[in-house]
Amino acid sequence: MEYINNELCLGPLKKSLSVLTTDYMRPTYVYDLDFIAQRYKAMSGALKNTRLFYAVKANPNAQVLQKLKSLGAGADVVSLGEIKRALESGFQPQDIVYSGVGKTKHEITEALKLGILQINVESLPELERIGAIAKSLNKKAAVAFRLNPDVSIQTHPYIATGLKDNKFGMELSSLPKLMACLDKFSDSLELVGVSLHLGSQMLEFSGYEEALKKLKAVFIDLQKKAPGLRKFDFGGGLGIFYDRTDLELEESLLQDYAKITLNVLGDLDCDLQSEPGRWLVGHCGVLIAQVQYIKTTSEKTFVVLDSGMNHLIRPSLYEAQHRIMTLKKQNESHTVDIVGPICESSDVFLKSVSLGQVREDDFVAILDGGAYGYSMASVYNLHELPNEICI
Ligand SMILES: Cc1ncc(COP(=O)(O)O)c(C=O)c1O
């Protein structure tokens, strides 16, 4: 993000944001599709011989999905709603990997009828359920075991998923029971893959490397028992910086991540798959909001926006800090708390930050809102959902 001619601009093509406020009705997410393409190309170039299945939960905007599909991505989904959105946006059933801990009977039935590429299984009862439904439909379900390696990564506890006490994935000790279930449903289940997802916002990779090595050994062992096993899905989770813009350092972390992945898995006889979300779209979106009030108390000054935790919940959910900039460059700045309109004390974007001098009706951009922004938005307090624009 930078100012050109005093206007805040987004992405590699430096697109000005002010023009988008001409017909402003309500808070608006803006996504730069060229920026997304740049990120996708960087990641697919680094992760050689890996098929990228974009994690739709990060940003399910139809134009974003169409763009990623046009670049060659598959889709990683976690609900029938996401399956439908992916199909409407041009993905084929064979482009879709279906993850998630709570798949219902209806969702599994629909996924099997559609012929989804692969279902990442999260528990023994789920495997039983898929086996029984596939049998009743006279189909053979292609499943991957999502294994929980019990390895920790440095991230917020709410987005770590690879530890024993997380609900995600299956313990390695459950493999004998899983294999017995495959035997029981040998006509309706085929083990095609092993999958892993350690969590989100990974910026350091020692735990990730340990998990890959652990699961590589399991994969080799399973391949002897399951001849159809040919995919290793190493999940998503590569992090981005929210406190600064340093795309070069992020690309160098991407290279480290890719090197570790390919060093550990490169000699396996299998197809590699990944499920990135945040890294592809996080920086490529901003949330434009309008200043409603400058409220001064004896303690501090609050800038009250028309958008808050209802539109971008990451600050109140994970204590995430999204930088905020005025759309028009201001020469003077002041120290303020930037807050939303919601009736919760946690509805705060930033505390005691320096913001360009703003007045009522001015616009600000909340940065790095391309991932887990709109997709986690709600109508809490019955405010409308934000608008979305792709540029
Ligand atoms: C199973 C799975 N795959 C991929 C992702 C994408 O993670 P990220 O957006 O951090 O890359 C997630 C995110 O929670 C996930 O749960």
Side-chain angles (χ1 to χ4, degrees), residues 55 57-58 76 99 146 197 199-201 236-238 275-278 372:
K57 65 172 81 66
D76 167 62
S99 312
R146 177 168 176 187
H197 176 71
S200 210
Q201 220 7 33
L238 183 59
E275 303 165 357
R278 187 190 312 272
Y372 307 105

